[in-house]
Amino acid sequence: MDGHDQMAYDRGTSIFSPDGRLYQVEYAREAVKRGSSTVGVKTPAGVVLAVDKHVGSALVEGESVEKLHAVDDHLAAASAGHVADGRRLVDFLRRDAQRDRLRYGEAIDARTATRRVSDLVQAYTQFGGARPFGAAVLIAGVDPDGTPRLYETDPSGTVDGWRAVAVGADRGDVQSFLEESYDAGMDLDGGVSLALRAVSVPKETPPDVTEVAVATVDAESRTVDVLDDDAVAAHLDELSADADGDADGEAGDDDVAGGDAGDGDAGGE
């Protein structure tokens, strides 16, 4: 393949290269990786979504950063990647949810909502005239029987169900943290704490309350609750206190170890 052929496959939104790649979809996935971290955690009591809002200036109004959305009473979504693309997909989800309520008189389930939006995303990889969506979306919901659900759809239109998942920047590190720390029996507060800890992994320090947003979907009430700043601050304070306690404990262990070594030297003398 010469350089001109490579450029042709590179520019086409719906043309496979000889080695079976859709370059524009791969570029869209790279756009997602450049987005700030977005985390979903499923627990028996419900689902948690947490996002790093990545406010670039102290003058930006934090609430104007749209990455976390209530879709329906029982359904929420969070995006990573191009914010505008994510908002377009969330608007589609909202219209679809309302259409089902009007047409069938019942709420759409999370799996159906995810399948429909993923069909839209996939269509933009199959037909010319528009580029793929440069966003990944996490969709959290609760089925009518009270079963929590967490799904991810990426720029190719692929759908995966998860117990805990990260998309956006440093996905590998954040996902590894989730795999090590996830507890299948945790309650909803535990899920919030885990999600906030996961979001802070790239920064290595707990985020400021203005830098994160958290929403929960409660399994019992089947309602979406976007946590206010006071609730998020309370969770962050608890995480900071736990981190300080762990640091003090490690320092204490070092002191004990040092004391034992000293006693051994004295005995030898």
Side-chain angles (χ1 to χ4, degrees), residues 167-225:
V167 292
D170 300 292
R171 173 172 182 163
D173 293 338
V174 180
Q175 193 67 34
S176 295
F177 171 81
L178 290 171
E179 291 171 358
E180 295 170 359
S181 306
Y182 182 79
D183 178 5
M186 75 180 83
D187 59 14
L188 202 55
D189 283 341
V192 172
S193 297
L194 177 61
L196 286 172
R197 287 163 58 202
V199 167
S200 68
V201 165
K203 300 180 179 180
E204 299 181 351
T205 57
D208 186 81
V209 68
T210 61
E211 298 174 341
V212 293
V214 180
T216 63
V217 188
D218 186 87
E220 183 175 357
S221 63
R222 296 188 72 224
T223 56
V224 176
D225 179 24

Side-chain angles (χ1 to χ4, degrees), residues 43-265:
T43 76
V47 190
V48 179
L49 296 175
V51 300
D52 179 356
K53 294 194 293 187
H54 191 64
V55 178
S57 169
L59 301 179
V60 174
E61 295 284 355
E63 60 270 18
S64 68
V65 180
E66 299 178 304
K67 291 189 60 181
L68 190 61
H69 313 265
V71 174
D72 202 345
D73 293 341
H74 67 298
L75 207 61
S79 64
H82 282 290
V83 174
D85 285 11
R87 186 176 66 246
R88 170 73 176 85
L89 295 176
V90 170
D91 287 344
F92 175 88
L93 282 166
R94 286 172 171 164
R95 288 196 300 271
D96 208 43
Q98 291 304 307
R99 188 180 299 115
D100 267 35
R101 283 191 179 274
L102 292 171
R103 181 177 298 169
Y104 304 114
E106 61 184 27
I108 192 172
D109 64 86
R111 180 179 177 84
T112 300
T114 305
R115 286 290 182 183
R116 289 179 183 171
V117 75
S118 67
D119 286 346
L120 172 68
V121 171
Q122 189 276 334
Y124 276 74
T125 73
Q126 189 172 355
F127 301 105
R131 62 168 175 77
F133 287 94
V137 179
L138 300 184
I139 299 171
V142 177
D143 287 346
D145 63 358
T147 303
R149 302 291 184 187
L150 175 63
Y151 296 102
E152 172 203 1
T153 180
D154 83 340
S156 71
T158 301
V159 175
D160 292 308
W162 293 88
R163 286 178 288 177
V165 63
V167 292
D170 300 292
R171 173 172 182 163
D173 293 338
V174 180
Q175 193 67 34
S176 295
F177 171 81
L178 290 171
E179 291 171 358
E180 295 170 359
S181 306
Y182 182 79
D183 178 5
M186 75 180 83
D187 59 14
L188 202 55
D189 283 341
V192 172
S193 297
L194 177 61
L196 286 172
R197 287 163 58 202
V199 167
S200 68
V201 165
K203 300 180 179 180
E204 299 181 351
T205 57
D208 186 81
V209 68
T210 61
E211 298 174 341
V212 293
V214 180
T216 63
V217 188
D218 186 87
E220 183 175 357
S221 63
R222 296 188 72 224
T223 56
V224 176
D225 179 24
V226 179
L227 274 59
D228 59 24
D229 287 349
D230 291 338
V232 174
H235 282 284
L236 292 175
D237 289 343
E238 183 179 343
L239 293 179
S240 297
D242 291 343
D244 291 341
D246 292 341
D248 292 341
E250 291 175 0
D253 292 342
D254 290 342
D255 291 341
V256 170
D260 292 341
D263 292 341
D265 293 341

